[in-house]
Amino acid sequence: MLAMAVATEETSSRQRILDVGARLFLDHGYADTTLRKIGAEVGMQAASIYYHFASKDELLTEILEQGITAITAAFDEGVAGLEGEAAFAGAIDAHLTALFAEGPFTAAHVTIFRRTPSTVRRRIVPLRDAYEARWDRLLRGLQASGDMTPDLDVGLVRLTLLGSMNTSLEWFKPGGGHTVDDLAGVITRQFWSGLAARTKDHA
């Protein structure tokens, strides 16, 4: 029982470091976030953080891993068993929900990722690529089914769509009269109308 209690406490401390670190990285960027600052907010010495993480870069890597894992899982759940416009809408809703619900863990991919050390990016890029590949497969499937015009470049469509959703972090505030579902609905309708093949009835 004692060993289980100690393990639970260690897990709790580790996640607390991750939660605080994610918020500070998001608010202050990579360069201005130090283990000393993180430790001060967590309530431990910076040296104690090394018990859980070998370096600031390892801490940031795990934060980014948690973020991309959460958004990938949301995508998979959001499109499961769906086709056509329903799958497209499910993917958009899943991305936006994870983006806002997971807070700094997912937002860090939008705001600070490109300014992190190359050693961190090298570990995270394959995970990001795998997530983007899911979007490519979804969009190609829509083209194959005739739901999306075949002459559109899938990569460019993906970049435009993800860019539109990701930048909503800068201006959309859930609870201000609109929900994330409202935002997802607007983006879905705007993009679907633009992507829909003219030979099909999408009324």
Side-chain angles (χ1 to χ4, degrees):
M1 294 292 291
L2 178 59
M4 183 178 297
V6 171
T8 300
E9 183 178 347
E10 289 180 358
T11 300
S12 177
S13 296
R14 181 183 180 86
Q15 191 58 51
R16 174 65 177 155
I17 294 168
L18 286 163
D19 291 341
V20 170
R23 176 171 54 80
L24 292 181
F25 279 123
L26 184 66
D27 290 345
H28 304 291
Y30 173 82
D32 291 335
T33 299
T34 64
L35 293 183
R36 184 183 298 276
K37 289 180 180 178
I38 295 171
E41 292 218 16
V42 173
M44 64 173 61
Q45 295 293 322
S48 299
I49 296 179
Y50 286 107
Y51 175 79
H52 300 280
F53 301 97
S55 65
K56 182 172 81 168
D57 287 0
E58 184 178 289
L59 171 59
L60 177 57
T61 298
E62 185 157 338
I63 289 168
L64 292 168
E65 285 178 345
Q66 284 197 17
I68 196 64
T69 297
I71 210 164
T72 299
F75 179 98
D76 290 344
E77 183 177 349
V79 303
L82 301 178
E83 297 179 353
E85 184 177 1
F88 186 71
I92 289 174
D93 186 71
H95 183 94
L96 288 169
T97 298
L99 200 61
F100 285 94
E102 299 298 329
F105 288 87
T106 46
H109 282 270
V110 178
T111 59
I112 68 168
F113 179 75
R114 296 191 182 283
R115 295 188 295 276
T116 59
S118 59
T119 52
V120 173
R121 294 197 302 275
R122 279 198 296 271
R123 289 182 58 180
I124 300 301
V125 162
L127 300 177
R128 287 165 59 104
D129 287 348
Y131 177 63
E132 291 175 358
R134 283 167 161 78
W135 279 97
D136 288 348
R137 286 194 295 272
L138 172 64
L139 295 172
R140 289 195 183 96
L142 293 174
Q143 285 183 324
S145 66
D147 286 306
M148 189 175 108
T149 49
D151 59 339
L152 291 173
D153 183 280
V154 165
L156 189 57
V157 171
R158 167 178 46 79
L159 289 170
T160 304
L161 180 56
L162 291 179
S164 174
M165 291 191 289
N166 291 343
T167 54
S168 68
L169 285 170
E170 300 175 3
W171 56 268
F172 184 75
K173 305 298 180 186
H178 298 288
T179 66
V180 173
D181 284 344
D182 293 332
L183 176 62
V186 169
I187 292 177
T188 297
R189 286 191 294 274
Q190 288 179 336
F191 274 86
W192 187 256
S193 295
L195 299 178
R198 297 295 181 259
T199 57
K200 298 191 70 172
D201 180 12
H202 296 278

